[in-house]
Amino acid sequence: MRIGILGTGNVGRTLADAWNAAGHEVVLGSRKPEEAEPGSGRVPIVSTESAVAGADVVVNATPGTASLALLTSVGAPALAGKVLLDVAVGFTADGDLSHLGESLGEELQRSFPDTPVVKTLCTIDRLVMVDPGSLEGPGTVFLSGDDPAAKATVRGLLHDLGWTDDTLLDLGGIATARGQEHFSLLFIGIAEGTGTYRFGLRVVMPTEEAAAEAH
């Protein structure tokens, strides 16, 4: 699959190397590719327009406060029909969430109605994104989006990062992306409490006995 990742920061580069290693054709998109650091050298850095034009899946790994403007500069026609995998969360200069009444994922879906948006991976650190087996036990990754086919495509890409079906939880439509993005506030608290960003969240269900007693 051809994947264009917008954003050349740590998250974008980590995902790019992982999907490249899994056999996908990956490029990193930058507004100023000539000034971007080369990174591992395994994944080429091109303009954002070129990254989108050649991609089946576009990954938004840009700062959440800049995502809409960047994608708008690329243009809705260029994004139409492509899956937009959104991992971004927006923070203000004060450290507050920039999207309170709705999520960035919802804003992007409303702004680009012909581009199915799937929110995922924004509840974990970049190293856990590409190495779920590094945790003591399986974590949970969430998916939010309105388009079932787009979610199936994203599921496949998550499998290539090492996430199995039993670790993926479909929350429903893109409106549920609010919960994923707002978790970032708790994420920061957990990181401060544990001294590391390398942890996961696991959704656990009641035992069969407990479920039966509830009925």
Side-chain angles (χ1 to χ4, degrees), residues 3-150:
I3 304 173
I5 299 179
L6 304 184
T8 57
N10 290 331
V11 172
R13 290 175 186 270
T14 300
L15 290 172
D17 286 341
W19 277 318
N20 177 73
H24 296 287
E25 181 183 337
V26 187
V27 296
L28 283 160
S30 171
R31 285 172 292 184
K32 298 180 179 179
E34 68 282 355
E35 298 179 10
E37 296 182 7
S40 67
R42 293 188 292 271
V43 176
I45 300 175
V46 301
S47 68
T48 53
E49 292 79 8
S50 295
V52 170
D56 304 305
V57 175
V58 176
V59 179
N60 177 37
T62 64
T65 51
S67 298
L68 180 60
L70 177 64
L71 290 166
T72 299
S73 72
V74 173
L79 290 163
K82 301 177 186 290
V83 175
L84 180 58
L85 193 165
D86 178 31
V87 303
V89 177
F91 286 98
T92 67
D94 296 329
D96 295 324
L97 286 174
S98 60
H99 293 74
L100 296 176
E102 67 172 355
S103 62
L104 171 63
E106 290 173 277
E107 182 181 44
L108 295 179
Q109 187 61 88
R110 186 181 69 253
S111 301
F112 305 100
D114 296 325
T115 304
V117 177
V118 180
K119 190 82 183 190
T120 191
L121 291 175
C122 68
T123 57
I124 48 178
D125 176 69
R126 65 184 177 89
L127 298 179
V128 178
M129 290 180 188
V130 302
D131 189 11
S134 64
L135 301 179
E136 290 183 354
T140 301
V141 164
F142 307 98
L143 297 96
S144 301
D146 297 331
D147 189 294

Side-chain angles (χ1 to χ4, degrees), residues 139-143 155 158-159 163-170:
T140 301
V141 164
F142 307 98
L143 297 96
R155 277 181 174 270
L158 294 176
H159 290 163
W163 297 93
T164 55
D165 275 333
D166 62 321
T167 64
L168 304 180
L169 180 58
D170 187 339

